[in-house]
Each structure stands twice: as C-alpha cells, then as structure tokens.
C-alpha cells in the first residue's frame, strides 16, 4: 500500500518548484502575461524568472515570444495546453494528497 507521503515524493518537480508553480498558477488565470508583469507578481528577479521560464519552455509547458515595440523589447509568455493540463493535474494531486493525509492513520502503515 502506498502512503500519501510516498505519493507526495513522486510529484512532478518541474511544476513543484515554488517559482515555477507560481508562474504556472499565474498563467493559468491570465492565459498570457508579459515578462515584467510576471516578475512583479511572482517577486522573482529578472535572472530567476528567465531561468525558470526557460525550464518551463523546455518542458513544452509555456511558449515565449519576443518582440519589439519601437526600441523596447517585449517578452510575452503563454500557457500551452500541456501546461494547463500539468498545473490543473498538480493542484488536483495536491488536493488528493491533502485529503488522503487527513484520513491517514499510523495504523494504515502495515
């Protein structure tokens, strides 16, 4: 029998990292955001945000578009369908783990 604690250890670390969780959760609400907005609402530094976005893009969870408005560069980030599925699944897994942990008893650990 698997305990709720063992299931928590198997959570997808790509999403579970706090910064990436914050980014994906924010994007799940607003669909698309620019880099400056994400930086502001997550509290991440420019370098940290860029690094985490790169990992999320590499995992095909987000799409990053770079453009220019005059001479000003603009970076826009969009949640891909796989990213939406991943963050929705992560939150569902956390809720299941919370419920299973609340119902767990030390006697259940045969």
């Amino acid at each position: 029998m698997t305990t709720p604690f063992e299931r928590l250890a198997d959570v997808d670390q790509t999403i579970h990292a706090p910064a990436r969780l914050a980014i994906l959760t924010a994007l799940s609400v607003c669909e698309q955001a620019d880099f400056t907005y994400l930086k502001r609402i997550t509290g991440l530094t420019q370098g940290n945000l860029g690094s985490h976005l790169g990992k999320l893009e590499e995992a095909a969870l987000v799409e990053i578009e770079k453009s220019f408005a005059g001479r000003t560069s603009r970076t826009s980030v969009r949640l891909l369908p796989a990213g939406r599925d991943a963050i929705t699944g992560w939150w569902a897994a956390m809720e299941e783990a919370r419920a299973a942990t609340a119902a767990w008893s030390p006697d259940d650990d045969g």
Side-chain angles (χ1 to χ4, degrees):
M1 176 192 285
T2 304
T3 70
F5 313 106
E6 290 171 300
R7 286 186 295 221
L8 281 172
D10 291 333
V11 172
D12 183 349
Q13 294 302 305
T14 302
I15 299 165
H16 192 66
R20 292 191 291 271
L21 177 61
I23 294 164
L24 289 172
T25 300
L27 289 172
S28 73
V29 176
C30 60
E31 299 285 329
Q32 181 172 330
D34 69 22
F35 188 91
T36 304
Y37 178 75
L38 285 173
K39 184 178 158 213
R40 184 171 56 81
I41 66 170
T42 62
L44 296 170
T45 65
Q46 185 170 333
N48 240 346
L49 179 57
S51 175
H52 286 294
L53 286 174
K55 289 177 183 174
L56 292 170
E57 184 179 40
E58 202 173 278
L61 301 177
V62 301
E63 177 180 67
I64 300 172
E65 288 185 22
K66 296 183 186 252
S67 62
F68 283 90
R71 292 185 173 182
T72 305
S73 68
R74 186 160 182 198
T75 301
S76 179
V77 184
R78 180 174 71 88
L79 189 62
L80 293 173
R84 176 160 308 286
D85 291 346
I87 193 64
T88 300
W90 187 90
W91 283 111
M94 290 300 102
E95 181 56 33
E96 288 173 20
R98 188 207 58 77
T101 300
W104 182 80
S105 165
D107 296 334
D108 294 343
D109 191 29

